[in-house]
Amino acid sequence: MNRTLSVPSVKSRRTREAGILTLLAALIVIIFIVSMNTGFMRLSPLDVLHTLLGEGTKQQKLILFDFRLPRIVISLLIGAGFAVSGSILQGLSRNALAEPSTLGINAGAGFAVLIFISFVPATTAGPIFVLPLLALAGAALTATLIYFLSYRRADGLSPTRLILIGIAVGAGIYAFQLILSLRLDPQNYQFVAIWLAGKIWGGDWRFVLALLPWILILLPFAFYKARVLNVLNLGDETSKGLGLPLERERLLLLAAAVALAGACVSVSGGIGFVGLIAPHLARRLVGPRHQIMLPAAALIGALLLLTADSIGRWILQPTEIPTGIVVAIIGAPYFLYLLAKSKA
Amino acid sequence: MFSFNLQRSGSMKLAMAGLMTTTLLLSACGNNNAANNEAAATTAPAATTEATTAPAETAVEQTVTDAMGHKVTIPANPQRVLASYLEDYLVALGVTPVAQWSVTNGTMEYLAAELKDIPTISYDLPLEAVTSFAPDFTIVQSEGTVQNGLYDQLNKIAPTYVLGDEVSKDWRKSLLKIGELLNKTPEAEAAITAYDQKAADAKAKISAAIGDESVAILWLVSKSFFIVDETRSSGAVLYGDLGLKLPNLVTEIPAESRATWNPISLEKLSELTADHIILVNSDGADAAEVTDGAIWKGIPAVKAGNVHEFGRATSWLYSGPIANSKTIDDALSSLVK
Amino acid sequence: MVSSTRSNLNPSKAAEDKPIKSRPVAAATILVLGSAAIVFGLMLSVSLGAADIRLATVWEAVFRFNPELSQHQVIRELRIPRALAGALVGACFAVAGAIMQGMTRNPLADSGLLGLNAGAGAGLALAFAFAPSLSFMYIMIYCFIGAAAASLLVFGIGSLSHSGLTPLRLTLAGAAVSAMLLAVSQGIAILYHLSQDIAFWMAGGIGGANWTQLKIMSPWVAGALIGSLVLSRSITLLSLGRDVAAGLGQRTRLVQTAGMIIVVILAGAAVSTVGPIAFVGLMIPHITRYLVGVDYRWIIPCSAVLGSVLILFADIAARMINAPYETPIGALIAVFGVPFFIYLASKRKGEL
């Protein structure tokens, strides 16, 4: 394996990887700052600085600490979450086109949240912490369904079939969503419609808190399992030969990917393509080793979503474009480009 | 057979929902339009700022509980009140709001004169926009508007009171409640008394003119019709306060499935037997596509020439002391010859 | 080289190598019974509606129309166009699907799944944005342009890569193009404050069909359907593989171009009238192929007939299931379409 390569090349690769990660982090910081300055109220960079140092007016503090910052943090967390979820799914299925939305997992999570919203009146306080759990349940159910539908005794789990079935199940869930949303009253319908379009609506620290545990546990878990993903990529035979308990590891990783996607969907609604693009770019920048590829993908995902969210807020002021729409318009062409290039 | 097919297509409800929320019930969007009501005699005084200073000496900070159970401490004498979609009540009480409700393409046009120089705020209350108006007291009409944590954030900007759907579906209760919150109970009571007097006079005149003929209120928007029942906006005025007779199509809707705006298919509309039709036309000139059709022309009231058309800028789709008062003026001018 | 293959692969030889199974008797039966079902469906559809109109009155309205009677007007102006539009778009979606499946040899081709419907929708959104209150004619043409752009994108992506148009690639490209064009439509809707118009159309359904639309769309649809019959033999050859077709002296590129134009017209016209309905073009050709064999000279007319039957009865069901309200027909058909798709996807052996 790569380890056996000569020392200087490992060293130069390490430097390069570190450089890229630093660069990504720097870009995030820059967009972070720009995003803090973006919005309906004009806050100059100087105002932002003053406010950060605790010298702003009450209004400025409110806008920065209570409205803009939580949303920025949520964008970062969701972007990283979708990206890592997509990376794991791509690693598991050995298919470059896998991601939570093509596999129908986002749709399942969304559907669970939609059911909850339709039957629990909007006035009930505190569904915020319930939503990730619900979305998780929906995502897990869908993943199980897709798994069983695409599993065949003869040739096991074919990656292409997995994706096709994922698309079909997604379409089916969409049909049920349509029927169900007809029964919602307009207020709730509006909420659901915007949420399904992928608008980050939880502009509140409590949403950060609801999401944070999932990210804090699952991201390090994925990084910890990076080696397993590397081995899985070598193919089933090799993995078995290397003494890996194949099915157990696969199931664990799949569960982590589904949980990440579910938790993110519960806060952000259906945002596709992030989980697809981020791993790809990461692989191009730092190569396929998951130890470095996963953190890079997480950073790229965070960067992508933060940028999309800032564009969505900025481009049509004061109207906001749901982040999901921005991501789709940026992401779909990239997806098509990958598709045209791929050999699968 | 479907005796109550209220919808041209089921998906209309979906569309309807989307529509309602984008325009929040009313395409107040208008540039052109007919039937601007000339009878601007309203019960309410025009908005003035001096009114807010009047009760200053008696005012004290009060703590109340709103429809969602929040304890809200209202400043002694709120100077900058934000009450999106409740501007009618503020104007009636002589309070000038800091901003007025709007959708992407319009405002409450029937209040255009009263709210002439008031800046607009989007119906979904973007937080930064709210902050920029620096309100010192916010009133929200419906629980649904502030779900999922929005209340807490609004409340950080200024004390926020949720009126609640229970109260806000009755304009008298809403007016009294808002009056109470703003230390203007006498003004609220006076406005109601004046309105009731006006309604009673109008009722006598209209009943003398048309007897017990029935009147239907139809809203035409995006080539679809909605029929107004007796529970909301101009329906409450016409059928409740003025005692007009409901048309057959409304009485046929089962009470439990009556929505604020009941969509009605052109096919069902062909069975409308009402003697008069109030047509609230939000489509402007595009309405011709429907109103030139054989089916519309075959409706008895249309044949008899008893269609009274009003444009988007009128108050028929809104509720509140001023809206209802203007609705009465319009009803008088169209039904009493 | 070419000449040698040609001599090897004369039509009869090709037929021997891979016999073109067709069952003319079954096909004729489908055409006769299907047409009867269409007539029955039309009558049923006209008889059912919101206004309580007696059956006798319905038939009087059809055969002894009296413009003075509002009930007759309802039948004439609302119910008949609705029923006819249902039959027409059913044929459109089904034939569009059949042609795409035949030409691309892709069992998962469907105008909804391959993004053509979303393309037509984006075209419509553009029409609303830049030229409000257009006549239906132009709206339809915008839908054609949108559908054409989407099909170029999807098929272009597919053919750009080495391994060509695999079903997986096509389906994924379709899903991605759909997602993108849907996002574009939503963006335009927000940008130009069109949410209401587009929401109404997206959810449109067959209930909104009127004579004007029918008059404008039917010549296009008729032309496209006749064109598809003319092409049907070539499509049969293409369905055996491009090499075979080329070997038999067919100008495959020409046939494919003509086929795509027909598909775009069919999908665009149908979508501009009733909104995006997926899965009809997926299911009907498969069922037809199962019944009548692989000859597209039979598949295309039979698909048209069965597609009409499906939409007509689905529309009737959509009105009856949740009686005062109508169930969206697109969702209703998806309830059957999704399992069908899954069945097709998992039936395939190994890699698709």
Side-chain angles (χ1 to χ4, degrees):
Chain A
M1 287 171 68
N2 283 350
R3 293 264 161 87
T4 56
L5 288 171
S6 61
V7 177
S9 95
V10 169
K11 201 176 171 190
S12 76
R13 197 194 65 204
R14 286 269 157 83
T15 323
R16 186 180 133 80
E17 286 169 356
I20 285 169
L21 289 190
T22 318
L23 186 72
L24 286 172
L27 275 174
I28 288 180
V29 171
I30 291 170
I31 305 284
F32 194 107
I33 292 169
V34 172
S35 189
M36 279 198 299
N37 293 312
T38 307
F40 183 85
M41 288 272 279
R42 292 265 168 272
L43 285 191
S44 71
L46 208 63
D47 288 337
V48 170
L49 190 69
H50 277 295
T51 314
L52 285 177
L53 296 173
E55 288 169 9
T57 64
K58 181 179 171 261
Q59 269 195 10
Q60 287 170 339
K61 281 184 189 160
L62 206 56
I63 285 184
L64 197 60
F65 293 122
D66 287 301
F67 305 154
R68 287 190 193 165
L69 273 179
R71 197 162 149 171
I72 291 172
V73 173
I74 285 173
S75 300
L76 292 173
L77 292 179
I78 291 170
F82 276 130
V84 171
S85 174
S87 307
I88 298 176
L89 291 173
Q90 291 182 9
L92 285 180
S93 65
R94 269 175 278 138
N95 187 314
L97 301 171
E99 73 135 352
S101 74
T102 46
L103 289 180
I105 293 171
N106 282 0
F111 191 50
V113 175
L114 178 61
I115 290 178
F116 179 75
I117 293 169
S118 343
F119 292 108
V120 179
T123 49
T124 321
I128 294 167
F129 291 90
V130 189
L131 285 183
L133 285 176
L134 269 171
L136 188 66
L141 267 176
T142 318
T144 317
L145 180 70
I146 293 169
Y147 185 90
F148 277 114
L149 283 174
S150 44
Y151 186 85
R152 262 212 321 249
R153 208 168 288 164
D155 52 354
L157 205 60
S158 135
T160 48
R161 206 162 44 228
L162 196 68
I163 290 181
L164 284 176
I165 303 264
I167 290 178
V169 169
I173 290 173
Y174 177 75
F176 279 108
Q177 273 177 359
L178 192 63
I179 293 176
L180 191 66
S181 58
L182 293 181
R183 303 183 177 279
L184 293 179
D185 66 65
Q187 276 284 356
N188 277 338
Y189 174 78
Q190 168 79 352
F191 170 68
V192 168
I194 290 183
W195 177 77
L196 287 176
K199 178 173 178 173
I200 299 176
W201 51 272
D204 192 327
W205 287 113
R206 282 179 303 169
F207 290 89
V208 177
L209 279 182
L211 190 58
L212 203 56
W214 299 93
I215 304 285
L216 279 186
I217 293 169
L218 293 172
L219 243 51
F221 174 77
F223 297 161
Y224 170 71
K225 288 284 181 191
R227 266 196 58 245
V228 178
L229 280 170
N230 288 343
V231 176
L232 280 175
N233 258 358
L234 299 174
D236 287 8
E237 297 309 313
T238 325
S239 317
K240 266 182 201 149
L242 287 170
L244 207 62
L246 207 59
E247 289 308 317
R248 200 181 67 106
E249 292 292 338
R250 229 187 227 157
L251 209 61
L252 266 178
L253 279 164
L254 187 67
V258 169
L260 269 175
C264 291
V265 169
S266 72
V267 175
S268 73
I271 294 182
F273 297 107
V274 182
L276 186 99
I277 298 169
H280 271 273
L281 284 174
R283 227 171 281 129
R284 295 195 118 191
L285 289 173
V286 300
R289 278 177 62 245
H290 282 87
Q291 287 94 324
I292 189 80
M293 187 279 232
L294 285 178
L299 287 177
I300 292 171
L303 180 65
L304 196 68
L305 215 66
L306 182 60
T307 313
D309 183 49
S310 308
I311 291 176
R313 261 190 295 162
W314 166 74
I315 204 163
L316 267 188
Q317 285 182 47
T319 314
E320 275 185 26
I321 300 193
T323 316
I325 292 182
V326 182
V327 175
I329 292 175
I330 303 174
Y334 187 78
F335 177 89
L336 292 173
Y337 161 77
L338 287 177
L339 199 60
K341 277 190 52 189
S342 72
K343 295 198 186 91
Chain B
M1 290 273 178
F2 316 109
S3 43
F4 292 122
N5 191 341
L6 303 176
Q7 298 193 288
R8 189 172 76 188
S9 91
S11 23
M12 199 59 85
K13 187 166 175 186
L14 170 72
M16 169 64 187
L19 162 90
M20 264 171 137
T21 42
T22 33
T23 62
L24 258 197
L25 311 186
L26 327 139
S27 340
C29 39
N31 23 20
N32 48 359
N33 242 318
N36 236 322
N37 61 42
E38 62 283 10
T42 64
T43 52
T48 47
T49 36
E50 39 84 33
T52 50
T53 55
E57 58 239 279
T58 53
V60 280
E61 203 174 80
Q62 53 171 332
T63 300
V64 289
T65 307
D66 76 357
M68 292 168 82
H70 307 116
K71 291 256 182 282
V72 185
T73 302
I74 308 168
N77 197 6
Q79 294 297 313
R80 302 185 58 81
V81 181
L82 176 67
S84 176
Y85 211 61
L86 297 166
E87 287 83 355
D88 192 312
Y89 300 95
L90 295 195
V91 171
L93 295 172
V95 175
T96 311
V98 288
Q100 61 169 318
W101 176 89
S102 73
V103 287
T104 42
N105 48 4
T107 56
M108 300 167 124
E109 284 175 63
Y110 76 98
L111 287 174
E114 289 86 345
L115 299 174
K116 193 154 68 80
D117 295 319
I118 310 294
T120 60
I121 187 162
S122 171
Y123 72 95
D124 57 354
L125 299 178
L127 292 167
E128 296 198 11
V130 174
T131 314
S132 73
F133 289 115
D136 58 5
F137 181 46
T138 305
I139 308 176
V140 172
Q141 186 179 30
S142 158
E143 292 95 339
T145 323
V146 292
Q147 55 191 326
N148 299 302
L150 184 59
Y151 176 85
D152 296 329
Q153 294 186 307
L154 283 174
N155 203 36
K156 277 180 197 157
I157 303 171
T160 300
Y161 184 93
V162 180
L163 202 55
D165 294 331
E166 261 317 293
V167 172
S168 63
K169 71 183 181 195
D170 181 334
W171 72 269
R172 287 181 175 85
K173 281 188 199 161
S174 306
L175 184 63
L176 287 172
K177 187 47 115 182
I178 294 172
E180 189 187 319
L181 299 174
L182 299 175
N183 271 323
K184 291 193 179 293
T185 303
E187 285 90 336
E189 283 167 349
I192 291 176
T193 315
Y195 171 83
D196 285 342
Q197 183 56 48
K198 179 173 183 169
D201 292 349
K203 183 175 182 174
K205 280 186 202 153
I206 291 176
S207 130
I210 65 168
D212 66 344
E213 291 176 4
S214 60
V215 180
I217 310 171
L218 297 176
W219 175 32
L220 176 63
V221 62
S222 292
K223 291 162 200 163
S224 295
F225 284 102
F226 297 90
I227 191 160
V228 180
D229 66 25
E230 78 280 18
T231 58
R232 289 289 169 111
S233 73
S234 47
V237 177
L238 255 58
Y239 307 121
D241 301 338
L242 301 184
L244 290 175
K245 201 174 149 203
L246 281 162
N248 61 328
L249 292 185
V250 172
T251 50
E252 283 170 13
I253 305 171
E256 68 273 10
S257 69
R258 282 186 208 176
T260 313
W261 303 104
N262 302 286
I264 187 153
S265 67
L266 199 53
E267 177 162 346
K268 197 70 197 165
L269 209 55
S270 70
E271 299 185 332
L272 179 69
T273 58
D275 300 295
H276 297 266
I277 293 176
I278 305 272
L279 176 65
V280 185
N281 176 7
S282 292
D283 279 359
D286 288 347
E289 202 170 303
V290 179
T291 52
D292 284 349
I295 296 178
W296 173 258
K297 287 190 170 156
I299 298 172
V302 181
K303 272 188 185 159
N306 287 333
V307 177
H308 314 283
E309 190 177 328
F310 293 93
R312 289 182 270 217
T314 54
S315 61
W316 285 88
L317 305 172
Y318 297 86
S319 187
I322 297 176
N324 292 357
S325 171
K326 291 190 173 183
T327 300
I328 291 181
D329 294 334
D330 287 343
L332 279 173
S333 72
S334 53
L335 297 175
V336 180
K337 292 280 150 44
Chain C
M1 170 70 193
V2 172
S3 62
S4 76
T5 37
R6 186 169 288 176
S7 63
N8 275 345
L9 274 173
N10 60 51
S12 59
K13 186 79 164 61
E16 275 173 42
D17 284 352
K18 186 173 181 180
I20 299 175
K21 276 181 293 175
S22 73
R23 290 185 278 274
V25 181
T29 318
I30 288 179
L31 289 179
V32 173
L33 287 182
S35 305
I38 291 178
V39 173
F40 177 68
L42 287 172
M43 298 197 315
L44 197 61
S45 183
V46 169
S47 316
L48 298 171
D52 204 353
I53 300 177
R54 280 177 31 248
L55 216 53
T57 319
V58 170
W59 298 111
E60 238 172 62
V62 175
F63 297 111
R64 286 201 309 280
F65 178 67
N66 178 355
E68 290 303 302
L69 295 175
S70 69
Q71 293 193 330
H72 284 198
Q73 290 285 8
V74 165
I75 301 293
R76 168 71 66 109
E77 293 297 319
L78 298 173
R79 291 197 191 166
I80 295 178
R82 176 177 192 159
L84 289 179
L88 215 51
V89 300
C92 286
F93 283 125
V95 171
I99 295 177
M100 281 194 287
Q101 290 179 13
M103 288 197 322
T104 62
R105 311 182 67 197
N106 177 353
L108 301 178
D110 168 76
S111 64
L113 296 169
L114 292 191
L116 269 70
N117 290 1
L124 187 108
L126 281 172
F128 279 149
F130 295 117
S133 52
L134 274 181
S135 76
F136 179 73
M137 180 70 176
Y138 288 97
I139 289 180
M140 193 172 72
I141 288 174
Y142 271 96
C143 285
F144 289 162
I145 296 171
S151 63
L152 281 179
L153 260 177
V154 171
F155 288 95
I157 300 295
S159 45
L160 268 179
S161 68
H162 306 291
S163 44
L165 288 166
T166 63
L168 174 73
R169 190 187 305 281
L170 216 51
T171 311
L172 283 173
V177 167
S178 286
M180 182 174 68
L181 292 172
L182 207 63
V184 168
S185 307
Q186 286 172 321
I188 293 173
I190 294 175
L191 202 60
Y192 290 90
H193 314 313
L194 293 171
S195 316
Q196 11 172 328
D197 298 321
I198 290 174
F200 267 88
W201 174 81
M202 281 294 199
I206 299 173
N210 59 43
W211 281 115
T212 326
Q213 292 178 335
L214 274 177
K215 272 181 201 144
I216 293 171
M217 79 178 272
S218 28
W220 290 87
V221 172
L225 288 178
I226 292 169
S228 66
L229 285 177
V230 172
L231 272 187
S232 58
R233 209 188 97 83
S234 312
I235 294 172
T236 310
L237 294 182
L238 264 182
S239 72
L240 300 175
R242 269 189 71 173
D243 299 338
V244 178
L248 292 172
Q250 192 183 82
R251 295 162 71 186
T252 54
R253 208 151 274 279
L254 186 75
V255 172
Q256 279 178 321
T257 311
M260 272 330 289
I261 291 173
I262 289 173
V263 166
V264 162
I265 290 175
L266 288 173
V271 171
S272 66
T273 311
V274 301
I277 299 179
F279 293 111
V280 178
L282 178 80
M283 291 191 285
I284 294 294
H286 274 281
I287 295 168
T288 314
R289 210 175 295 120
Y290 175 75
L291 293 172
V292 307
V294 297
D295 188 342
Y296 277 80
R297 278 173 296 182
W298 292 113
I299 292 178
I300 286 176
C302 291
S303 289
V305 168
L306 291 180
S308 294
V309 173
L310 176 67
I311 293 272
L312 264 175
F313 284 92
D315 183 38
I316 293 168
R319 281 183 269 171
M320 301 197 17
I321 287 173
N322 190 12
Y325 305 111
E326 290 187 15
T327 311
I329 188 169
L332 191 66
I333 289 179
V335 170
F336 299 100
V338 167
F340 196 90
F341 181 102
I342 290 174
Y343 163 74
L344 287 179
S346 52
K347 193 179 67 153
R348 314 262 311 164
K349 303 240 155 45
E351 294 294 299
L352 273 162

